[in-house]
Amino acid sequence: MPSEYHREVFGGEVGETCEFENIEHANQILGLLMRRWNTIAGALYRDEIHVPLIFEDEKGELRGSDWARGFVRGMHMRHDGWIELANDEERGGCLVPMMMLCHEHDEDSDMRPEPIAPEQREQVIAFMAAGLVEAYKYFREQRGAGTETLLEHQSLRRSTRKIGRNDPCPCGSGKKYKKCCGGAAVN
């Protein structure tokens, strides 16, 4: 739910950690975040490879470590489910590329993989993208093959109405927008 991951993305409750210019600005930022989420979810639902946004370092090289650390941080939000996948003999290997990049510079030498050469790094990043699809398939199967998903019934390009100040907040907190994410707009 957005109410859960917004705390991770923004470093706390949106209304307490973010300062927007106005409600339109808040709507724009939260809308972009949801659009990105829907784009990724749609690609994974269609079993398409989603290539994560990975920025080049100061040497112009793609590292992927920051993305992998963020991914692992997100895994901790649903630790029990992810640990089941990690321990799955047949499917758990899809997480290895993320773990390699996440722990690449770990202080604990037992967690740190062998150094990754530049030519290997591209391959690890490609396996990481493929691993995302496999992880998604695993969890989709866990929800049950007969269970209908939200994506089966809604267009990914649906237009959303503007959120009113007294409407429930779209982040899922249960609060009015003006007392939650919209409250950040007036700070």
Side-chain angles (χ1 to χ4, degrees), residues 165-186:
R165 291 181 47 74
N166 290 315
D167 290 341
C169 190
C171 76
S173 68
K175 300 177 188 176
K176 287 184 177 183
Y177 183 64
K178 68 182 178 185
K179 296 286 186 182
C180 191
C181 297
V186 289

Side-chain angles (χ1 to χ4, degrees), residues 150-167:
L150 182 64
L151 289 174
E152 292 171 330
H153 295 288
Q154 291 184 347
S155 167
L156 292 175
R157 293 185 186 205
R158 66 183 166 89
S159 60
T160 59
R161 65 176 185 82
K162 184 176 178 182
I163 302 164
R165 291 181 47 74
N166 290 315
D167 290 341

Side-chain angles (χ1 to χ4, degrees), residues 65 127 141 152:
S65 301
F127 285 141
E141 290 168 10
E152 292 171 330

Side-chain angles (χ1 to χ4, degrees), residues 43-61:
L44 295 174
Y45 178 76
R46 293 184 302 273
D47 294 332
E48 295 173 0
I49 298 289
H50 164 71
V51 180
L53 288 175
I54 300 175
F55 298 103
E56 294 178 348
D57 65 10
E58 61 281 349
K59 297 177 186 173
E61 297 175 2

